Amino acid sequence: MEHVPIAIALVDKHGAFLARSARWQELQSKLFTKWQSRNFLLSISSREDWTAAFKRVLRGETVRRDEDTLLMVAGTKEYAKWEARPWISRNGTVEGGVLSIALITEQVQARKRAEEQSEFFNAVLESIDNGIVACDADGRLTMFNARTR
């Protein structure tokens, strides 16, 4: 599992790490103190939402978050998407969880910049006293300001 190209870990139902990819270990060193890194439950003890999610995993549910804010040990903020799935033995009992995390900070920041630019553009468009209309290459109306109405 060490060479898997994603941040993934296998933990037992007590939170002990059974296996971790190199990417998980790299991310873990930025996200948790060395003391916290010994056990997944210690790692997440300050995050009630993650603790609740792990309990759901132990009940057999898959839990995911498409965008979550992570506060790194260095004090920086990162965005991540993560998923936690139950690890089920052959006899059907939940033995722990399979966890994966992907940092999506660049994508979230790009989306937020695009949203800000769109809001700015719309504010400028609406502040113009003349009617403005835009059409696409097929002649379909794609944009107009309030003055046009």
Side-chain angles (χ1 to χ4, degrees), residues 72-88:
M72 309 306 260
V73 171
T76 59
K77 183 169 76 171
E78 298 281 345
Y79 294 95
K81 68 178 181 176
W82 56 265
E83 181 175 285
R85 295 180 161 271
W87 164 38
I88 301 172

mmCIF file of all heavy atoms in Angstrom, residues 72-88:
data_model
loop_
_atom_site.group_PDB
_atom_site.id
_atom_site.type_symbol
_atom_site.label_atom_id
_atom_site.label_comp_id
_atom_site.label_asym_id
_atom_site.label_seq_id
_atom_site.Cartn_x
_atom_site.Cartn_y
_atom_site.Cartn_z
ATOM 1 N N MET A 72 -3.898 22.884 9.014
ATOM 2 C CA MET A 72 -2.643 22.153 9.095
ATOM 3 C C MET A 72 -1.877 22.554 10.361
ATOM 4 O O MET A 72 -2.131 23.602 10.945
ATOM 5 C CB MET A 72 -1.804 22.421 7.848
ATOM 6 C CG MET A 72 -2.575 22.198 6.541
ATOM 7 S SD MET A 72 -3.347 20.589 6.408
ATOM 8 C CE MET A 72 -2.175 19.758 5.394
ATOM 9 N N VAL A 73 -0.926 21.716 10.757
ATOM 10 C CA VAL A 73 -0.119 21.972 11.950
ATOM 11 C C VAL A 73 0.585 23.327 11.836
ATOM 12 O O VAL A 73 0.695 24.060 12.813
ATOM 13 C CB VAL A 73 0.912 20.827 12.176
ATOM 14 C CG1 VAL A 73 1.887 21.182 13.274
ATOM 15 C CG2 VAL A 73 0.188 19.533 12.505
ATOM 16 N N ALA A 74 1.024 23.686 10.637
ATOM 17 C CA ALA A 74 1.735 24.954 10.420
ATOM 18 C C ALA A 74 0.811 26.169 10.502
ATOM 19 O O ALA A 74 1.267 27.300 10.413
ATOM 20 C CB ALA A 74 2.433 24.927 9.062
ATOM 21 N N GLY A 75 -0.496 25.940 10.648
ATOM 22 C CA GLY A 75 -1.443 27.042 10.751
ATOM 23 C C GLY A 75 -2.082 27.427 9.431
ATOM 24 O O GLY A 75 -2.929 28.321 9.394
ATOM 25 N N THR A 76 -1.688 26.783 8.346
ATOM 26 C CA THR A 76 -2.287 27.070 7.050
ATOM 27 C C THR A 76 -3.603 26.321 6.888
ATOM 28 O O THR A 76 -3.862 25.341 7.579
ATOM 29 C CB THR A 76 -1.331 26.671 5.902
ATOM 30 O OG1 THR A 76 -1.045 25.271 6.012
ATOM 31 C CG2 THR A 76 -0.046 27.466 5.954
ATOM 32 N N LYS A 77 -4.412 26.816 5.960
ATOM 33 C CA LYS A 77 -5.697 26.185 5.690
ATOM 34 C C LYS A 77 -5.633 25.523 4.322
ATOM 35 O O LYS A 77 -5.170 26.125 3.354
ATOM 36 C CB LYS A 77 -6.808 27.233 5.730
ATOM 37 C CG LYS A 77 -8.194 26.675 5.526
ATOM 38 C CD LYS A 77 -9.279 27.685 5.842
ATOM 39 C CE LYS A 77 -9.425 28.712 4.756
ATOM 40 N NZ LYS A 77 -10.595 29.580 4.928
ATOM 41 N N GLU A 78 -6.073 24.276 4.263
ATOM 42 C CA GLU A 78 -6.143 23.533 3.009
ATOM 43 C C GLU A 78 -7.572 23.034 2.841
ATOM 44 O O GLU A 78 -8.325 22.944 3.806
ATOM 45 C CB GLU A 78 -5.193 22.326 3.020
ATOM 46 C CG GLU A 78 -3.737 22.662 3.168
ATOM 47 C CD GLU A 78 -3.085 23.128 1.869
ATOM 48 O OE1 GLU A 78 -3.682 22.931 0.790
ATOM 49 O OE2 GLU A 78 -1.981 23.681 1.935
ATOM 50 N N TYR A 79 -7.912 22.716 1.603
ATOM 51 C CA TYR A 79 -9.211 22.110 1.311
ATOM 52 C C TYR A 79 -8.969 20.684 0.840
ATOM 53 O O TYR A 79 -7.990 20.409 0.143
ATOM 54 C CB TYR A 79 -9.953 22.903 0.231
ATOM 55 C CG TYR A 79 -10.335 24.283 0.682
ATOM 56 C CD1 TYR A 79 -9.527 25.374 0.411
ATOM 57 C CD2 TYR A 79 -11.509 24.495 1.403
ATOM 58 C CE1 TYR A 79 -9.876 26.643 0.832
ATOM 59 C CE2 TYR A 79 -11.869 25.762 1.823
ATOM 60 C CZ TYR A 79 -11.044 26.826 1.537
ATOM 61 O OH TYR A 79 -11.393 28.079 1.962
ATOM 62 N N ALA A 80 -9.878 19.800 1.232
ATOM 63 C CA ALA A 80 -9.730 18.389 0.865
ATOM 64 C C ALA A 80 -11.086 17.771 0.599
ATOM 65 O O ALA A 80 -12.108 18.242 1.085
ATOM 66 C CB ALA A 80 -9.034 17.623 1.986
ATOM 67 N N LYS A 81 -11.065 16.705 -0.198
ATOM 68 C CA LYS A 81 -12.229 15.834 -0.271
ATOM 69 C C LYS A 81 -11.769 14.513 0.324
ATOM 70 O O LYS A 81 -10.599 14.133 0.188
ATOM 71 C CB LYS A 81 -12.767 15.687 -1.693
ATOM 72 C CG LYS A 81 -11.897 14.955 -2.663
ATOM 73 C CD LYS A 81 -12.609 14.852 -3.995
ATOM 74 C CE LYS A 81 -11.768 14.093 -4.995
ATOM 75 N NZ LYS A 81 -12.469 13.909 -6.261
ATOM 76 N N TRP A 82 -12.658 13.872 1.057
ATOM 77 C CA TRP A 82 -12.264 12.633 1.709
ATOM 78 C C TRP A 82 -13.415 11.640 1.706
ATOM 79 O O TRP A 82 -14.564 11.998 1.503
ATOM 80 C CB TRP A 82 -11.750 12.876 3.122
ATOM 81 C CG TRP A 82 -12.685 13.600 4.050
ATOM 82 C CD1 TRP A 82 -12.701 14.936 4.306
ATOM 83 C CD2 TRP A 82 -13.736 13.027 4.848
ATOM 84 N NE1 TRP A 82 -13.690 15.240 5.209
ATOM 85 C CE2 TRP A 82 -14.342 14.087 5.569
ATOM 86 C CE3 TRP A 82 -14.219 11.741 5.040
ATOM 87 C CZ2 TRP A 82 -15.403 13.882 6.444
ATOM 88 C CZ3 TRP A 82 -15.279 11.545 5.915
ATOM 89 C CH2 TRP A 82 -15.851 12.605 6.606
ATOM 90 N N GLU A 83 -13.024 10.389 1.918
ATOM 91 C CA GLU A 83 -14.004 9.319 1.986
ATOM 92 C C GLU A 83 -13.524 8.296 3.002
ATOM 93 O O GLU A 83 -12.335 8.015 3.104
ATOM 94 C CB GLU A 83 -14.171 8.659 0.614
ATOM 95 C CG GLU A 83 -15.206 7.555 0.616
ATOM 96 C CD GLU A 83 -15.460 6.997 -0.774
ATOM 97 O OE1 GLU A 83 -16.134 7.689 -1.553
ATOM 98 O OE2 GLU A 83 -14.984 5.890 -1.046
ATOM 99 N N ALA A 84 -14.474 7.759 3.740
ATOM 100 C CA ALA A 84 -14.196 6.695 4.711
ATOM 101 C C ALA A 84 -15.197 5.575 4.455
ATOM 102 O O ALA A 84 -16.402 5.803 4.477
ATOM 103 C CB ALA A 84 -14.321 7.225 6.135
ATOM 104 N N ARG A 85 -14.672 4.385 4.190
ATOM 105 C CA ARG A 85 -15.516 3.215 3.901
ATOM 106 C C ARG A 85 -15.260 2.143 4.949
ATOM 107 O O ARG A 85 -14.152 2.005 5.445
ATOM 108 C CB ARG A 85 -15.163 2.614 2.535
ATOM 109 C CG ARG A 85 -15.435 3.498 1.383
ATOM 110 C CD ARG A 85 -15.058 2.800 0.068
ATOM 111 N NE ARG A 85 -15.714 3.458 -1.031
ATOM 112 C CZ ARG A 85 -16.922 3.137 -1.467
ATOM 113 N NH1 ARG A 85 -17.580 2.145 -0.936
ATOM 114 N NH2 ARG A 85 -17.465 3.810 -2.455
ATOM 115 N N PRO A 86 -16.276 1.365 5.242
ATOM 116 C CA PRO A 86 -16.051 0.267 6.190
ATOM 117 C C PRO A 86 -15.146 -0.802 5.576
ATOM 118 O O PRO A 86 -15.214 -1.076 4.379
ATOM 119 C CB PRO A 86 -17.451 -0.280 6.453
ATOM 120 C CG PRO A 86 -18.312 0.235 5.360
ATOM 121 C CD PRO A 86 -17.653 1.446 4.791
ATOM 122 N N TRP A 87 -14.284 -1.356 6.404
ATOM 123 C CA TRP A 87 -13.480 -2.514 6.026
ATOM 124 C C TRP A 87 -14.209 -3.708 6.625
ATOM 125 O O TRP A 87 -14.295 -3.859 7.843
ATOM 126 C CB TRP A 87 -12.069 -2.380 6.568
ATOM 127 C CG TRP A 87 -11.277 -3.643 6.579
ATOM 128 C CD1 TRP A 87 -11.271 -4.624 5.642
ATOM 129 C CD2 TRP A 87 -10.372 -4.061 7.599
ATOM 130 N NE1 TRP A 87 -10.426 -5.628 5.995
ATOM 131 C CE2 TRP A 87 -9.857 -5.299 7.203
ATOM 132 C CE3 TRP A 87 -9.947 -3.507 8.801
ATOM 133 C CZ2 TRP A 87 -8.932 -5.999 7.975
ATOM 134 C CZ3 TRP A 87 -9.040 -4.204 9.558
ATOM 135 C CH2 TRP A 87 -8.532 -5.437 9.151
ATOM 136 N N ILE A 88 -14.766 -4.527 5.756
ATOM 137 C CA ILE A 88 -15.623 -5.625 6.190
ATOM 138 C C ILE A 88 -14.901 -6.952 5.989
ATOM 139 O O ILE A 88 -14.380 -7.230 4.897
ATOM 140 C CB ILE A 88 -16.965 -5.609 5.422
ATOM 141 C CG1 ILE A 88 -17.660 -4.265 5.678
ATOM 142 C CG2 ILE A 88 -17.853 -6.778 5.817
ATOM 143 C CD1 ILE A 88 -18.887 -4.020 4.842
#
